[in-house]
Amino acid sequence: DVLELLADRVGVVIVMDMDSGEILGMTSSPGFDPNIFVGSRDPGEINRIFADPLAPAINRAITGLFPPGSVFKVIMAIAGLDAKKIIPGTSFVCPGFYQLRRAVFRCTHVHGTQDLIGALAHSCNVYFYNVGLLLGVDTINHYARLMGLGEKISIDLPYEQSGSIPNREQRRLEGRGGWHAGDTLNFSIGQGEVQVTPLQLVRLMTLVARNGWIVQPHVIKAIGDVPVDTFVDERKIRVEEGILETVRKGLRGAVADAEGTARVIGDLPDLYVAGKTGTAQTSGGKNNHAWFAGYAKGKARNIAFCVLLEHGGASYNACLLTKDLLLRMQEKNIL
């Protein structure tokens, strides 16, 4: 069904039981038939897979590296609150842009006065530009790593990538000059040199939803008769639960607020959905990446999910696919 949802689009869908860490579904599109590697098949068929510019041989869910765009604002909100640079009621005025000397950094809309919960729900860049400058690059880097970005999750699959979280020292060592305020602004909205895997964002949403408790994502369900999750020790990040509760209100607002960026999902019967949209800019004049990462609580189970449409345009497109996915899961009593 997930393959059918992605159809001919390039992207990723991951669904994980956020209480056990069991991966319920993980699809990377385009895919390929692994049977071509078995027996004396036409070698030209194999060559075509590796020569395909859409890279079907890559599992984008764990190997693909992408800028997270505004999904990164979840990190910024946690960092701002935990470092005591802001409180939930801290407000900034968004005129649709942020002026840094001669450079203009854009927002998606003129949002006016925004507090933290509203800025998450409406994905206000200007709000998080301000938070980013209050925090600075080193503190943002610290919290991104605390939340599991920039490191391998160690899922039971090969070739997982760790991603990249920029820092001042790394840039200096690579001989690329100093770190500037404009770099911090880009960092604050998940652009610039930030690179993550879709699976990392699934785990991020899980720890927000579960008050900081981190589960171990896994594909193998059991070894013999013993469930894999019985081998895994959960751990909890050191962030106050009140901070995560505030962030959850913002993520719920993205779906439930009349101006929320994921409002197209709407109220689904017997389902609580929250999450963060992202429209990540890319280079080379290509379309943006469309993200929606979040969690849903249903009658059957609680899940965390991530939908990425590579060069898929606005995050609205990822939200539409997510809505279809959740409805199908409900129909099959999976959720």
Side-chain angles (χ1 to χ4, degrees), residues 266-290:
D267 282 327
L268 301 180
D270 301 317
L271 203 59
Y272 180 96
V273 185
K276 185 72 197 73
T277 55
T279 304
Q281 294 177 356
T282 61
S283 58
K286 295 181 179 179
N287 273 347
N288 297 331
H289 299 318

Side-chain angles (χ1 to χ4, degrees), residues 65-255:
L65 297 176
F66 307 91
S70 291
V71 182
F72 193 76
K73 292 170 184 173
V74 173
I75 302 287
M76 297 298 297
I78 294 169
L81 292 169
D82 194 62
K84 296 183 168 41
K85 297 297 184 180
I86 58 170
I87 60 173
T90 299
S91 297
F92 297 104
V93 177
C94 170
F97 64 92
Y98 187 93
Q99 186 91 34
L100 180 68
R101 294 184 286 276
R102 294 182 182 178
V104 175
F105 291 77
R106 299 288 176 189
C107 195
T108 52
H109 301 284
V110 177
H111 290 108
T113 302
Q114 297 278 282
D115 64 8
L116 177 60
I117 292 170
L120 281 169
H122 309 143
S123 202
C124 177
N125 287 354
V126 169
Y127 190 96
F128 292 100
Y129 291 149
N130 280 282
V131 175
L133 291 177
L134 289 172
L135 289 168
V137 54
D138 298 326
T139 304
I140 299 171
N141 178 286
H142 166 75
Y143 280 95
R145 291 191 169 278
L146 180 66
M147 301 295 141
L149 303 187
E151 65 176 31
K152 292 182 182 179
I153 288 172
S154 299
I155 191 171
D156 45 355
L157 290 170
Y159 312 121
E160 182 190 359
Q161 294 292 307
S162 58
S164 175
I165 302 298
N167 65 72
R168 195 194 312 267
E169 182 67 11
Q170 178 185 355
R171 179 174 288 191
R172 186 187 65 79
L173 289 172
E174 291 174 357
R176 295 186 292 120
W179 186 273
H180 306 288
D183 298 317
T184 301
L185 297 188
N186 282 325
F187 192 5
S188 301
I189 60 166
Q191 295 285 168
E193 298 166 24
V194 190
Q195 297 278 296
V196 303
T197 66
L199 184 62
Q200 288 172 342
L201 297 188
V202 171
R203 189 172 69 168
L204 171 63
M205 290 298 164
T206 301
L207 73 85
V208 171
R210 300 185 72 233
N211 275 328
W213 286 100
I214 298 176
V215 297
Q216 176 61 47
H218 56 87
V219 176
I220 299 171
K221 188 169 185 176
I223 298 173
D225 297 326
V226 184
V228 163
D229 37 271
T230 62
F231 295 105
V232 179
D233 291 327
E234 288 191 0
R235 62 187 176 90
K236 191 174 186 181
I237 59 163
R238 294 182 179 180
V239 172
E240 291 177 16
E241 291 185 4
I243 289 173
L244 297 173
E245 173 61 26
T246 297
V247 174
R248 287 196 294 271
K249 288 177 181 176
L251 300 184
R252 175 59 181 162
V255 176

Side-chain angles (χ1 to χ4, degrees), residues 18 205 209 247-257 262-277 292-299 301-307 318-327 329-330 335:
M18 69 177 179
M205 290 298 164
V247 174
R248 287 196 294 271
K249 288 177 181 176
L251 300 184
R252 175 59 181 162
V255 176
D257 191 307
R263 61 189 178 276
V264 68
I265 290 174
D267 282 327
L268 301 180
D270 301 317
L271 203 59
Y272 180 96
V273 185
K276 185 72 197 73
T277 55
F292 186 51
Y295 57 93
K297 298 181 178 182
K299 286 183 174 180
R301 57 164 51 89
N302 303 321
I303 63 164
F305 60 82
C306 178
V307 172
C319 291
L320 283 177
L321 194 152
T322 301
K323 183 176 184 178
D324 202 353
L325 171 71
L326 295 174
L327 287 170
M329 290 182 71
Q330 269 193 313
L335 185 56

